[in-house]
């Protein structure tokens, strides 16, 4: 078991850091090999013969849908973009990562606490790197690959930094010791500073809307309101600070010079990036799929359009509608219903709250990203979080984790 634990830690570090330190690419080859090694060791030393759960079926939905699309395309002899074959391979890999870490948790009791602590530290280390990189860029330096592509904006970096803020916001909410609370506040400020310096509007929008939804959900679901008040006060301080920064900086956020509602609405209306997505991806796809031919419209709407194949969509929902049609949307509704039902069944569980926040942020980010299929670097880590979530919520007595 000692070797399993060591390999697990190396694999987790690899998922976060190898793309920056070694490969500089979207595909974390070495960590994938480590996952294979971890999986094989678990198969050999697996002590629990009843670890397979019916819950695993829900995790196969993305694989089923991508396989279904390739099958339909082969029957109709429709040429698909090579990226679609790669995406199927990635969905299989995500499932394998999920299975591997679930087996690990089943075979090593209470090891989820250790894994969560390591993931929390790794998220913070990444936010710290993104902040340092952003400051270096402001001072005139060349921006690093954050995480995997050069430039002044990265929604993926924004996801890492905002998720770090979510993790430690929950820790801050429930922490009773003063000095530890102040440490969490510092980490949150570092994370939010990193998020702002990515100049990612998707990340900032996602953070604001997700935080609002979480606060409302918490107030509805929980009877004790004292914990949320700490987070609300911190959130308001962030809004005031970010508003001051946006109003005083000459850095371009695509017209975002304030966080008031009027500015945000105008930004969505006028921003070229949003407009391009609306006209090219949404508008053109709707025109291609649902035109004057009623029969073709029915087929495309129900089963997906194999004649329209793009390597990048920049909108998760348009991609799902185009590729899988109503069949795929129905299966994804089942997929999300499964997770949200589990979350709300035991909303008091702190990990469930964290997972809920992550899911909401990814759903919002789907407006400008393929947030559940195509951001591989984060989805490797998200597959591990899904394994922890299903493990904690599939026990006879729902497990929790220690801070």
């Amino acid at each position: 078991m000692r070797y399993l634990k060591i390999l697990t830690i190396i694999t987790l570090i690899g998922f976060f850091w190898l793309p920056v330190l070694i490969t500089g690419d979207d595909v974390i080859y070495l960590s994938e090999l480590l996952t294979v090694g971890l999986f094989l060791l678990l198969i050999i030393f697996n002590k629990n013969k009843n670890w397979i759960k019916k819950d695993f079926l829900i995790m196969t939905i993305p694989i089923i849908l991508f396989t279904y699309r390739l099958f339909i395309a082969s029957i109709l002899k429709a040429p698909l973009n090579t990226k679609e074959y790669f995406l199927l391979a990635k969905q299989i890999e995500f499932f394998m990562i999920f299975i591997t870490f679930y087996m690990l948790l089943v075979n090593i009791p209470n090891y989820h606490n250790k894994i969560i602590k390591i993931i929390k530290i790794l998220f913070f280390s990444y936010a710290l790197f993104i902040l340092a990189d952003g400051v270096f860029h402001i001072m005139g330096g060349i921006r690093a690959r954050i995480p995997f592509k050069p430039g002044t904006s990265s929604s993926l970096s924004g996801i890492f930094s905002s998720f770090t803020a979510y993790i430690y916001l929950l820790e801050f909410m429930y922490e009773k010791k003063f000095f530890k609370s102040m440490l969490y506040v510092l980490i949150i400020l570092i994370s939010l500073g990193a998020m702002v310096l990515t100049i990612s509007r998707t990340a900032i929008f996602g953070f604001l809307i997700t935080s609002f939804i979480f606060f409302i959900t918490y107030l509805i679901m929980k009877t004790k309101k004292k914990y949320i008040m700490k987070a609300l006060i911190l959130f308001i301080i962030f809004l005031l600070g970010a508003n001051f920064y946006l109003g005083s900086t000459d850095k371009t956020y695509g017209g975002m010079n304030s966080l008031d509602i009027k500015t945000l609405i105008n930004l969505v209306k006028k921003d070229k990036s949003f407009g391009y997505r609306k006209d090219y991806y949404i508008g053109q796809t709707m025109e291609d799929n649902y035109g004057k031919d009623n029969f073709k419209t029915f087929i495309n709407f129900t089963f997906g359009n194999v004649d329209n194949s793009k390597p990048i969509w920049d909108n998760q929902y348009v991609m799902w509608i185009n590729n899988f049609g109503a069949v795929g949307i129905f299966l994804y509704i089942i997929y999300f219903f499964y997770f949200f039902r589990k979350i709300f069944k035991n909303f008091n569980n702190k990990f469930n709250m964290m997972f809920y926040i992550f899911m909401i942020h990814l759903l919002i980010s789907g407006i400008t990203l393929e947030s559940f299929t195509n951001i591989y670097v984060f989805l490797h880590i998200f597959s591990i979080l899904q394994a922890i979530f299903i493990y904690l919520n599939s026990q006879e007595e729902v497990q929790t984790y220690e801070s």
Side-chain angles (χ1 to χ4, degrees):
M1 288 301 174
R2 181 186 174 189
Y3 297 109
L4 282 176
K5 291 179 179 180
I6 293 172
L7 188 57
T8 300
I9 293 170
I10 294 172
T11 303
L12 287 171
I13 294 171
F15 278 136
F16 277 87
W17 280 102
L18 284 177
V20 173
L21 299 178
I22 300 175
T23 66
D25 201 350
D26 287 7
V27 186
I28 315 175
Y29 299 108
L30 186 53
S31 278
E32 290 165 353
L33 291 174
L34 289 170
T35 303
V36 171
L38 191 61
F39 178 78
L40 292 175
L41 281 175
L42 283 164
I43 290 294
I44 295 170
F45 297 108
N46 180 35
K47 296 178 180 178
N48 192 323
K49 304 302 180 184
N50 299 315
W51 60 274
I52 297 176
K53 299 282 183 181
K54 61 181 180 181
D55 304 72
F56 293 178
L57 289 173
I58 205 74
M59 297 297 297
T60 64
I61 284 178
I63 298 173
I64 292 169
L65 286 173
F66 277 93
T67 304
Y68 152 82
R69 178 164 171 81
L70 267 57
F71 176 71
I72 296 295
S74 66
I75 291 176
L76 299 178
K77 294 182 170 49
L80 294 179
N81 190 285
T82 53
K83 179 71 174 288
E84 297 212 35
Y85 297 91
F86 181 71
L87 282 175
L88 171 60
K90 294 305 293 185
Q91 309 314 306
I92 295 171
E93 182 191 343
F94 299 150
F95 183 73
M96 182 179 172
I97 293 170
F98 161 79
I99 290 292
T100 300
F101 276 83
Y102 187 91
M103 286 177 63
L104 185 73
L105 296 173
V106 168
N107 279 277
I108 308 178
N110 298 318
Y111 195 51
H112 61 278
N113 288 317
K114 182 75 171 179
I115 292 177
I116 293 170
K117 286 178 181 178
I118 294 170
I119 289 174
K120 283 163 55 180
I121 293 169
L122 288 171
F123 264 109
F124 171 61
S125 70
Y126 216 100
L128 199 60
F129 168 76
I130 294 168
L131 177 70
D133 180 76
V135 171
F136 180 70
H137 180 67
I138 287 174
M139 295 170 64
I142 298 173
R143 187 144 224 174
R145 301 170 83 88
I146 56 159
F148 331 107
K149 61 180 181 180
T152 57
S153 174
S154 173
S155 298
L156 192 50
S157 294
I159 284 177
F160 275 100
S161 49
S162 57
F163 277 37
T164 307
Y166 296 139
I167 290 168
Y168 287 95
L169 186 65
L170 282 173
E171 298 296 341
F172 170 73
M173 282 171 55
Y174 289 96
E175 182 55 55
K176 296 178 180 179
K177 296 178 181 178
F178 175 78
F179 288 108
K180 206 168 182 180
S181 294
M182 291 302 100
L183 175 63
Y184 291 148
V185 169
L186 178 61
I187 294 174
I188 292 165
L189 292 176
I190 288 171
S191 307
L192 295 177
M195 180 186 71
V196 170
L197 289 178
T198 62
I199 319 181
S200 168
R201 286 156 292 166
T202 297
I204 295 174
F205 269 119
F207 178 78
L208 293 174
I209 297 171
T210 300
S211 299
F212 177 77
I213 291 173
F214 170 67
F215 292 146
I216 296 298
T217 306
Y218 191 97
L219 291 171
I220 293 172
M221 297 291 293
K222 304 279 282 185
T223 54
K224 294 182 179 180
K225 308 295 191 288
K226 62 178 181 179
Y227 297 117
I228 200 69
M229 295 311 297
K230 292 171 63 178
L232 278 170
I233 292 169
L234 198 63
F235 183 70
I236 291 169
I237 292 172
F238 162 73
L239 288 180
L240 293 173
N243 216 47
F244 173 78
Y245 172 80
L246 290 170
S248 60
T249 184
D250 59 352
K251 293 291 176 186
T252 175
Y253 286 77
M256 186 190 293
N257 55 12
S258 159
L259 291 179
D260 64 83
I261 295 176
K262 184 178 179 181
T263 300
L264 295 178
I265 292 174
N266 287 336
L267 177 64
V268 173
K269 287 181 179 179
K270 298 176 182 179
D271 183 73
K272 291 181 180 179
S273 177
F274 285 112
Y276 177 77
R277 287 180 172 93
K278 178 175 68 69
D279 295 336
Y280 179 70
Y281 289 113
I282 301 177
Q284 189 61 48
T285 299
M286 294 300 106
E287 185 178 324
D288 291 341
N289 288 358
Y290 315 120
K292 297 178 181 179
D293 188 327
N294 292 333
F295 180 73
K296 181 182 177 182
T297 296
F298 171 77
I299 294 298
N300 289 344
F301 176 78
T302 306
F303 303 106
N305 183 3
V306 292
D307 293 322
N308 191 10
S309 178
K310 291 185 175 72
I312 298 175
W313 286 91
D314 272 356
N315 186 299
Q316 185 67 83
Y317 306 105
V318 176
M319 184 263 208
W320 282 338
I321 292 169
N322 178 85
N323 287 12
F324 312 127
V327 171
I329 296 299
F330 175 72
L331 287 178
Y332 268 111
I333 288 173
I334 294 174
Y335 178 85
F336 291 117
F337 177 79
Y338 166 84
F339 285 107
F340 285 119
R341 184 176 65 86
K342 291 272 189 186
I343 289 167
F344 290 127
K345 190 175 180 180
N346 189 29
F347 194 71
N348 290 327
N349 186 311
K350 191 161 57 173
F351 187 85
N352 282 8
M353 284 189 214
M354 184 176 75
F355 195 80
Y356 172 69
I357 295 171
F358 286 6
M359 289 284 283
I360 294 297
H361 188 106
L362 289 175
L363 284 166
I364 293 167
S365 298
I367 298 171
T368 58
L369 295 171
E370 292 160 64
S371 53
F372 284 94
T373 55
N374 203 18
I375 51 172
Y376 319 129
V377 176
F378 177 77
L379 291 174
H380 289 133
I381 298 160
F382 191 64
S383 299
I384 298 170
L385 296 174
Q386 287 177 309
I388 297 171
F389 175 84
I390 291 180
Y391 170 76
L392 293 178
N393 287 277
S394 63
Q395 310 302 306
E396 289 184 9
E397 182 176 342
V398 177
Q399 302 290 305
T400 185
Y401 81 95
E402 300 169 1
S403 299

